[in-house]
Amino acid sequence: MSGPSQWRRRQQRLSLTGEICPQCSARLFPPRDVCPHCGGPARIPYALGGRGTVYSFSRIMSAPEGYEAGAPYYVALVALDEGPLVTAQLTDVDPEAVSIGMPVEMVTRLMKRDGDRGLIDYSFKFRPVLERMAG
Amino acid sequence: MRDVAVLGIGQTPVAEHWDSSLRDLAYRALQAALDDARVPVPQMLFVGNMLSGALASQENVGALIADYAGLRGMEAFKIEAACASGAAAARMAWMAVAGGLCDIAVALGVEKMTDGKAEQATAALAYAADAEYEGEHGLSFVALNALMMQRYMHEYGYRHSDFAGFAINSHANATTNPNAMFPSAITAEQFERARPVAAPITLLDSSGIGDGAAAAVFVPLDLATRSPHPVVRVLASASATDTVALHDRRDPLFLEAAHVSAQRAYAMSGTTAEDMDFFELHDAFTIMSALSLEASGYAPRGHGVGMAIDGEITRQGRLPICTLGGLKARGHPVGATGVYQIVEAVQQLRGEAGPNQLAGARLGMAQNIGGSGANVITHILERRN
Ligand SMILES: [Zn+2]
């Protein structure tokens, strides 16, 4: 992804800002101009809380070009408490403990480096909800 | 709308063709199909291809192939719908002939994937996903399928080994297909021991990428009656889309676009799933086979895997699938795959499938799936005489 693309989506990448539909109150992430639930226009920003549970997960052994350094790594579909599913990497996980239904929370993490002098790319990942913060 | 037939077919083996470029492969399949159809000059060429830009630094392949094949001047375009590019090209050719725009249209699927590093191909295949919200997070295309498989196993209580039948069937059928990339049988033990690519998906859940080209010549049905081959009519061509991103689906375990395109195809042809003698489905991964069977009406939800466990999908079973090896073992030259499926369906319906021939095959379905289910194209073909 290019610098402008990352900048354009900074609210999504760094604070998980989606939308709420004014017609049907569906919470949407990522934002889109038409609500997929009711077909009405959806343009009201809505910051999602960043808490959810693992809906599904995979451990990537063969990474795409540019992501090899982190391999193997876990990716997941996270069901956010507000409803939407979001695709993200899992971080700070015990490989033995990853499971469907596991409570997770959004954190900002390094995603990718573009060589020694290029942009450093940060975005959201999810980690297990810490014990002291649980409940 | 005119009735349409497939008059000619051609294909190259799927392999790592180090000695052939994109245009070489395309020309070989195109020429084979034109020879088979006994027509010298087509009027329109639709090239199904996904990755020529990403992996061969080449776009504008419609004109490139027309020129290279000595057909400079003819109308020719590339058609792209990710892994469903091949069937999309076939649908365009069908539309052109059915709509009366021309009498001879060729669908040519071609992909050249093995010139670069494997990581480049892995990254390029992820272009089929949502680049901003899937690809950017390091999701490979395999990983998206793995997310579906993991959830499927969780919801319906299957083990990984329950999916073995899909891969075993495709490999068994490939052993006698001279165009197959992996013509070797595999066992359930090998399936269980295979190396994980994106857990729970292993190498033996996954179709192999390769180079290849396949072509089919579409003509009005009344022109086909002079053919020396048994006439194969296109009874239905139907297509539907879903969200590109898996996370945007109403239900990530139901291929809605496959369901809609199959239902449209059944309605158009006046057939049902029960009528099909075989089904060339999109076994890019074992989980896709299960989901395609369920969405297309061959199995209730959560029971697609059961068809593999019970042996219903073999050439002797209730619904033979992937009869010449499927994507898994014939190979998956991504944008060409949909045309291979149609070519193989025509082989079966003509009675030209050699050792893989299904006795009395008269009605067959081919379904090509783009992305993790975003673009699905279904064709139903029938033997006329
Ligand atoms: Zn709405």
PDB file of all heavy atoms in Angstrom, chain A residues 21 23-26 35 37-40, ligand 1:
ATOM      1  N   CYS A  21     -25.148   3.359  10.659  1.00  0.00           N
ATOM      2  CA  CYS A  21     -26.160   3.660   9.645  1.00  0.00           C
ATOM      3  C   CYS A  21     -27.305   4.455  10.289  1.00  0.00           C
ATOM      4  O   CYS A  21     -27.869   4.007  11.282  1.00  0.00           O
ATOM      5  CB  CYS A  21     -26.684   2.369   9.037  1.00  0.00           C
ATOM      6  SG  CYS A  21     -28.097   2.624   7.947  1.00  0.00           S
ATOM      7  N   GLN A  23     -30.228   4.893   9.241  1.00  0.00           N
ATOM      8  CA  GLN A  23     -31.538   4.266   9.032  1.00  0.00           C
ATOM      9  C   GLN A  23     -31.754   3.078   9.956  1.00  0.00           C
ATOM     10  O   GLN A  23     -32.784   2.965  10.623  1.00  0.00           O
ATOM     11  CB  GLN A  23     -31.700   3.775   7.580  1.00  0.00           C
ATOM     12  CG  GLN A  23     -31.848   4.854   6.528  1.00  0.00           C
ATOM     13  CD  GLN A  23     -30.502   5.464   6.151  1.00  0.00           C
ATOM     14  OE1 GLN A  23     -30.393   6.664   6.052  1.00  0.00           O
ATOM     15  NE2 GLN A  23     -29.481   4.654   5.957  1.00  0.00           N
ATOM     16  N   CYS A  24     -30.785   2.141   9.960  1.00  0.00           N
ATOM     17  CA  CYS A  24     -31.025   0.872  10.664  1.00  0.00           C
ATOM     18  C   CYS A  24     -30.090   0.666  11.848  1.00  0.00           C
ATOM     19  O   CYS A  24     -30.119  -0.387  12.483  1.00  0.00           O
ATOM     20  CB  CYS A  24     -30.934  -0.292   9.685  1.00  0.00           C
ATOM     21  SG  CYS A  24     -29.269  -0.712   9.182  1.00  0.00           S
ATOM     22  N   SER A  25     -29.238   1.678  12.121  1.00  0.00           N
ATOM     23  CA  SER A  25     -28.326   1.651  13.271  1.00  0.00           C
ATOM     24  C   SER A  25     -27.252   0.566  13.201  1.00  0.00           C
ATOM     25  O   SER A  25     -26.578   0.298  14.195  1.00  0.00           O
ATOM     26  CB  SER A  25     -29.090   1.488  14.595  1.00  0.00           C
ATOM     27  OG  SER A  25     -30.000   2.547  14.753  1.00  0.00           O
ATOM     28  N   ALA A  26     -27.095  -0.079  12.040  1.00  0.00           N
ATOM     29  CA  ALA A  26     -26.024  -1.065  11.918  1.00  0.00           C
ATOM     30  C   ALA A  26     -24.682  -0.360  12.071  1.00  0.00           C
ATOM     31  O   ALA A  26     -24.491   0.737  11.566  1.00  0.00           O
ATOM     32  CB  ALA A  26     -26.105  -1.761  10.561  1.00  0.00           C
ATOM     33  N   CYS A  35     -25.108   1.402   3.127  1.00  0.00           N
ATOM     34  CA  CYS A  35     -25.273   0.392   4.178  1.00  0.00           C
ATOM     35  C   CYS A  35     -25.657  -0.947   3.542  1.00  0.00           C
ATOM     36  O   CYS A  35     -26.658  -1.016   2.833  1.00  0.00           O
ATOM     37  CB  CYS A  35     -26.347   0.822   5.174  1.00  0.00           C
ATOM     38  SG  CYS A  35     -26.748  -0.482   6.369  1.00  0.00           S
ATOM     39  N   HIS A  37     -26.853  -3.474   4.953  1.00  0.00           N
ATOM     40  CA  HIS A  37     -27.999  -4.098   5.623  1.00  0.00           C
ATOM     41  C   HIS A  37     -29.325  -3.545   5.129  1.00  0.00           C
ATOM     42  O   HIS A  37     -30.277  -4.288   4.960  1.00  0.00           O
ATOM     43  CB  HIS A  37     -27.873  -3.926   7.135  1.00  0.00           C
ATOM     44  CG  HIS A  37     -26.629  -4.528   7.701  1.00  0.00           C
ATOM     45  ND1 HIS A  37     -26.501  -5.867   7.955  1.00  0.00           N
ATOM     46  CD2 HIS A  37     -25.429  -3.976   8.006  1.00  0.00           C
ATOM     47  CE1 HIS A  37     -25.289  -6.115   8.417  1.00  0.00           C
ATOM     48  NE2 HIS A  37     -24.613  -4.985   8.452  1.00  0.00           N
ATOM     49  N   CYS A  38     -29.396  -2.209   4.884  1.00  0.00           N
ATOM     50  CA  CYS A  38     -30.680  -1.627   4.500  1.00  0.00           C
ATOM     51  C   CYS A  38     -30.612  -0.892   3.163  1.00  0.00           C
ATOM     52  O   CYS A  38     -31.646  -0.463   2.644  1.00  0.00           O
ATOM     53  CB  CYS A  38     -31.186  -0.688   5.586  1.00  0.00           C
ATOM     54  SG  CYS A  38     -30.246   0.842   5.719  1.00  0.00           S
ATOM     55  N   GLY A  39     -29.402  -0.701   2.618  1.00  0.00           N
ATOM     56  CA  GLY A  39     -29.292  -0.054   1.312  1.00  0.00           C
ATOM     57  C   GLY A  39     -29.320   1.463   1.354  1.00  0.00           C
ATOM     58  O   GLY A  39     -29.169   2.121   0.331  1.00  0.00           O
ATOM     59  N   GLY A  40     -29.485   2.023   2.545  1.00  0.00           N
ATOM     60  CA  GLY A  40     -29.503   3.482   2.656  1.00  0.00           C
ATOM     61  C   GLY A  40     -28.086   4.053   2.693  1.00  0.00           C
ATOM     62  O   GLY A  40     -27.116   3.312   2.821  1.00  0.00           O
TER      63      GLY A  40
HETATM   64 ZN    ZN C   1     -28.619   0.496   7.306  1.00  0.00          ZN
END
